[in-house]
């Protein structure tokens, strides 16, 4: 019987991809904290995870524009990137980055990434145990 890694690993690989992308966006915000006119961005993790679940259940397809193109799809929709509503009034340079908020969100995202990594590690241990008991 074949093992479906998508089913065996669940949503954890997609969660890690989304959290990785979010870390990049938050790091970009931190790097641009002093850039005049820069607007802080973030992604909607919940909507990205929901899209990943739907893609996992129904398959993620792409429109082929030529018969020689390979069929495929993306695991990360990436379309939920949005500008953050600032918590503080404009400081005069039209930059909406609040460095303390960004650092806190980055730290929280890193901890949640580690949790997803531990869940995924547990899944691999379970698969390893199941495969070891077959022999």
């Amino acid at each position: 019987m074949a093992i479906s890694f998508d089913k065996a690993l669940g949503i954890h690989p997609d969660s890690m991809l989304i959290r990785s992308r979010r870390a990049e966006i938050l790091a970009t915000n931190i790097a641009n904290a002093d850039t005049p006119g820069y607007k802080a961005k973030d992604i909607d993790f919940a909507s990205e995870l929901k899209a990943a679940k739907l893609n996992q259940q129904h398959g993620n397809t792409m429109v082929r524009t030529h018969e020689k193109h390979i069929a495929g799809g993306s695991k990360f929709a990436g379309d939920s990137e949005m500008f953050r509503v600032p918590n503080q009034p404009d400081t005069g340079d039209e930059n909406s980055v609040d460095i303390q908020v960004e650092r806190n969100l980055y730290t929280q995202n890193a901890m949640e990434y580690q949790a997803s990594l531990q869940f995924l590690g547990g899944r691999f241990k379970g698969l390893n145990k199941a495969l070891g008991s077959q022999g």
Side-chain angles (χ1 to χ4, degrees):
M1 183 167 110
I3 295 175
S4 169
F5 283 106
D6 284 338
K7 290 181 182 177
L9 300 178
I11 201 70
H12 301 296
D14 294 320
S15 173
M16 289 180 63
L17 284 172
I18 297 166
R19 293 220 181 274
S20 175
R21 177 67 181 130
R22 186 168 188 230
E24 291 174 14
I25 292 170
L26 294 173
T28 301
N29 290 345
I30 292 169
N32 287 293
D34 294 327
T35 304
Y38 183 82
K39 304 296 181 201
K41 299 176 188 172
D42 204 349
I43 60 172
D44 184 359
F45 179 80
S47 69
E48 284 295 329
L49 192 61
K50 184 178 178 182
K53 283 181 184 178
L54 287 174
N55 290 338
Q56 194 174 48
Q57 292 170 355
H58 303 295
N60 192 4
T61 60
M62 292 175 54
V63 176
R64 291 174 49 184
T65 57
H66 192 273
E67 67 273 356
K68 292 186 179 181
H69 288 171
I70 298 172
S74 171
K75 290 264 185 185
F76 180 70
D79 59 354
S80 67
E81 189 173 307
M82 59 192 162
F83 291 104
R84 183 172 300 121
V85 177
N87 294 331
Q88 62 188 16
D90 185 15
T91 57
D93 63 357
E94 296 182 11
N95 184 311
S96 66
V97 175
D98 183 346
I99 194 71
Q100 292 177 346
V101 169
E102 299 301 324
R103 285 181 182 159
N104 290 339
L105 289 173
Y106 189 87
T107 302
Q108 178 184 1
N109 189 66
M111 291 186 332
E112 291 168 346
Y113 182 90
Q114 287 296 320
S116 291
L117 187 60
Q118 288 178 347
F119 284 128
L120 191 58
R123 293 285 180 121
F124 277 115
K125 283 181 185 177
L127 284 171
N128 193 21
K129 187 182 280 188
L131 292 173
S133 65
Q134 297 287 331

